Amino acid sequence: MIKQLPPRSTLTWATLALLSACSATPVVPSSLVQARTAMEEAQAQPEVVRLASDELQRAGEALRQAEQAQTRDAGADTVGHLAYLARQRVTLAVDSASSRSGQAAVRNAAAERDREQLGRRTAEADAAGAALGQAQQNQATQQARISEMDSQLRALKAQPTDRGMVVTLGDMRFATNQSTLSADGEHSLSQLADFMKRFPQRRVLIEGHADSQGSSESNQRLSERRAQTVNNALLSLGVAADRLSATAVGETHPVATNATAEGRRMNRRVEVIFVPEDVTTNPPAPRS
């Protein structure tokens, strides 16, 4: 178990204060003492060293900077600030290790459930015996998978087009000149990523769109950032990069009039297109 850092090292600081009172050596700020103590405690935890080595290394570098500032007498404020940053990095290392440890436990539990489920299915298949029975079972499984896929696409409000099923989630709209997803948008992308993990044969084309405000060049760049925002979010959620293709459409393919605020809001969007295997991922032709 990873031990969380205490808010401060009271005993160490009290000892240092006593020693400082009896010595001519400059007093070390308590924040630096606490950062050193936190670092030592983190380094003493094997899981932190194993699971957050990069973060721990950065924390060590931050602590060295604080200690160097103390050595050259850079001032209490500077030393205190650098010590605070060092302690924050130590805390980040401990928290990262704890998170990764928990994720590993979840993955192991899921893998065990998968192995058990696979074992049950294997036993059922062996018991079935006849080739005809096995074929029927495979067909039923395939039909169930197709039905589940259709149900999931309907839940995502996907619409059929000549280029494939298109998902335009309402909360994936963007503010003017913005390419940052809202919390609701991130939740919707999490659902989309879950679907793609469940059906790993599906590829998607991610199209960024903009309204007509501003120049065509700036809108093209803005729509590219929007498409890349969604692309990066899906990557971070575990979707393989070779299943994603992002492109910028700019203002050339509106779904509503740009003459009204509501129409422009609808045009500031990202469309996610589930591409059939025999279709090339090309952007749509511009609308007049």
Side-chain angles (χ1 to χ4, degrees), residues 144-166:
R145 190 169 183 81
I146 292 173
S147 176
E148 181 185 6
M149 182 184 297
D150 290 342
S151 175
Q152 290 292 326
L153 285 172
R154 286 195 300 271
L156 290 169
K157 300 179 181 178
Q159 298 295 323
T161 71
D162 57 355
R163 296 187 297 149
M165 300 295 287
V166 177

Side-chain angles (χ1 to χ4, degrees), residues 118-133:
L118 179 61
R120 288 194 297 268
R121 289 179 177 176
T122 301
E124 292 171 358
D126 292 341
L132 177 61

Side-chain angles (χ1 to χ4, degrees), residues 184-231:
D184 288 339
E186 292 175 354
H187 174 71
S188 297
L189 280 180
S190 178
Q191 293 178 313
L192 185 60
D194 288 342
F195 172 85
M196 296 188 69
K197 293 174 186 177
R198 193 172 293 118
F199 305 105
Q201 75 279 14
R202 302 309 299 266
R203 296 180 299 115
V204 298
L205 170 64
I206 302 166
E207 288 182 352
H209 296 260
D211 60 31
S212 63
Q213 290 186 315
S215 67
S216 298
E217 293 79 9
S218 64
N219 286 333
Q220 184 71 15
R221 292 192 297 270
L222 179 58
S223 65
E224 181 178 359
R225 293 199 302 273
R226 288 170 177 167
Q228 200 59 48
T229 292
V230 174
N231 185 89

Side-chain angles (χ1 to χ4, degrees), residues 9-247:
S9 179
T10 304
L11 181 58
T12 302
W13 174 236
T15 303
L16 181 63
L18 181 60
L19 292 174
S20 298
C22 302
S23 171
T25 303
V27 175
V28 178
S30 61
S31 56
L32 183 55
V33 174
Q34 292 165 12
R36 288 171 178 168
T37 302
M39 186 66 180
E40 292 170 356
E41 292 176 352
Q43 290 173 328
Q45 299 182 59
E47 282 199 358
V48 176
V49 176
R50 179 171 59 88
L51 297 176
S53 59
D54 290 344
E55 291 87 348
L56 201 59
Q57 183 177 356
R58 287 190 288 270
E61 178 59 30
L63 180 58
R64 282 191 291 275
Q65 292 178 7
E67 290 174 336
Q68 289 169 0
Q70 170 69 11
T71 300
R72 65 174 182 268
D73 196 20
D77 289 345
T78 298
V79 174
H81 176 69
L82 292 174
Y84 169 80
L85 293 179
R87 181 172 171 80
Q88 289 298 102
R89 287 196 175 276
V90 174
T91 301
L92 175 61
V94 174
D95 290 346
S96 297
S98 179
S99 175
R100 290 164 189 165
S101 177
Q103 291 170 1
V106 171
R107 287 195 299 270
N108 291 338
E112 181 61 27
R113 289 194 299 270
D114 289 344
R115 285 193 292 271
E116 292 176 357
Q117 187 176 28
L118 179 61
R120 288 194 297 268
R121 289 179 177 176
T122 301
E124 292 171 358
D126 292 341
L132 177 61
Q134 186 63 54
Q136 291 173 340
Q137 181 180 2
N138 290 342
Q139 182 180 7
T141 300
Q142 182 65 17
Q143 289 299 324
R145 190 169 183 81
I146 292 173
S147 176
E148 181 185 6
M149 182 184 297
D150 290 342
S151 175
Q152 290 292 326
L153 285 172
R154 286 195 300 271
L156 290 169
K157 300 179 181 178
Q159 298 295 323
T161 71
D162 57 355
R163 296 187 297 149
M165 300 295 287
V166 177
V167 175
T168 306
L169 301 178
D171 51 21
M172 282 172 57
R173 310 290 184 188
F174 295 85
T176 302
N177 295 325
Q178 296 297 314
S179 60
T180 303
L181 280 172
S182 65
D184 288 339
E186 292 175 354
H187 174 71
S188 297
L189 280 180
S190 178
Q191 293 178 313
L192 185 60
D194 288 342
F195 172 85
M196 296 188 69
K197 293 174 186 177
R198 193 172 293 118
F199 305 105
Q201 75 279 14
R202 302 309 299 266
R203 296 180 299 115
V204 298
L205 170 64
I206 302 166
E207 288 182 352
H209 296 260
D211 60 31
S212 63
Q213 290 186 315
S215 67
S216 298
E217 293 79 9
S218 64
N219 286 333
Q220 184 71 15
R221 292 192 297 270
L222 179 58
S223 65
E224 181 178 359
R225 293 199 302 273
R226 288 170 177 167
Q228 200 59 48
T229 292
V230 174
N231 185 89
N232 292 343
L234 289 174
L235 286 174
S236 70
L237 290 168
V239 179
D242 60 0
R243 299 175 60 197
L244 305 174
S245 178
T247 187

